[in-house]
């Protein structure tokens, strides 16, 4: 009986110490880079996700560097839109 009570106490204590990590804007913010090497030319991408839900994207090509700004959000806890 005493062993059962101790096991239950350990079980409930472990439940209290567990928590799920929720993906949020602070966790996803940062600067991300990608380089695609092609046969004739390369394309580079630089994406800055800011914690205030704004982003800045630069696409580097042989002919220029188009840029755009906008807002981003997390959809269904797994996609950035």
């Amino acid at each position: 009986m005493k062993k059962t009570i101790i096991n239950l106490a350990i079980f409930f204590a472990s439940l209290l110490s567990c928590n799920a990590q929720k993906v949020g804007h602070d966790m996803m913010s940062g600067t991300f880079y990608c380089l695609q090497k092609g046969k004739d030319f390369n394309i580079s991408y630089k994406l800055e996700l800011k914690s205030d839900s704004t982003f800045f994207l630069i696409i580097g090509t042989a002919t220029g560097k188009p840029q755009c700004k906008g807002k981003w959000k997390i959809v269904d806890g797994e996609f950035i839109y």
Side-chain angles (χ1 to χ4, degrees):
M1 179 71 167
K2 188 174 183 179
K3 188 174 182 180
T4 305
I5 293 173
I6 292 173
N7 287 338
L8 284 174
I10 292 172
F11 174 74
F12 285 117
S14 67
L15 285 179
L16 293 175
S17 65
C18 295
N19 60 1
Q21 189 171 10
K22 185 176 179 182
V23 176
H25 285 81
D26 290 334
M27 181 177 270
M28 291 301 301
S29 62
T31 303
F32 303 90
Y33 301 95
C34 177
L35 176 63
Q36 290 182 338
K37 293 189 175 192
K39 183 178 178 183
D40 298 322
F41 60 91
N42 300 332
I43 300 175
S44 65
Y45 300 90
K46 178 182 175 185
L47 174 63
E48 293 180 42
L49 297 177
K50 299 182 179 178
S51 59
D52 65 353
S53 300
T54 60
F55 74 88
F56 185 63
L57 174 66
I58 302 172
I59 303 172
T61 66
T63 58
K65 286 189 172 185
Q67 305 173 6
C68 67
K69 296 178 186 178
K71 292 226 172 231
W72 66 279
K73 64 180 177 178
I74 299 173
V75 178
D76 295 334
E78 62 181 301
F79 300 105
I80 295 176
Y81 179 73

